[in-house]
Amino acid sequence: MLALAIELTLPLHSRTVPILIGEGLLALGFLVLAIRYASLWLGVAMILQGLQFSLHAFYIVMERERDWLFVAVTNVVTLAIILCILVGTVFAWRRASRAARG
């Protein structure tokens, strides 16, 4: 949601740093959750978000224009993060329902 708001409200030349800050904060949030709950799936989501952050940083440092590779990697990593969170949530719900049944 934050990335969409940035894309819609900021001019093209000033979007990079806020997007990078958002990616870093998201990775940090996953790190806090992974440490708090000692969860493998949150750790994987954190690593994937770190990959996303690194991709953005690479394109900034190399001053490269966003190309098809950037778009493809961004989409694949985002889908992998969503899938990881979804699978982890389903496993957690199943574990909680089994524990409630006794």
Side-chain angles (χ1 to χ4, degrees), residues 10-95:
L10 294 178
L12 183 62
H13 65 278
S14 62
R15 293 178 186 168
T16 305
V17 173
I19 292 286
L20 191 61
I21 290 170
E23 296 288 342
L25 290 174
L26 189 57
L28 184 63
F30 284 138
L31 174 63
V32 169
L33 288 173
I35 290 172
R36 166 65 176 91
Y37 294 105
S39 172
L40 177 64
W41 62 273
L42 282 171
V44 172
M46 180 199 65
I47 290 169
L48 289 170
Q49 188 59 41
L51 176 68
Q52 185 81 2
F53 180 82
S54 298
L55 178 69
H56 279 114
F58 173 78
Y59 271 76
I60 290 170
V61 169
M62 299 304 290
E63 297 179 353
R64 290 182 61 170
E65 292 294 319
R66 294 179 179 174
D67 55 3
W68 66 269
L69 179 64
F70 178 86
V71 172
V73 171
T74 298
N75 287 337
V76 168
V77 169
T78 300
L79 288 174
I81 290 170
I82 292 169
L83 182 64
C84 185
I85 292 171
L86 180 66
V87 168
T89 302
V90 168
F91 283 146
W93 279 341
R94 291 182 69 204
R95 190 178 330 120

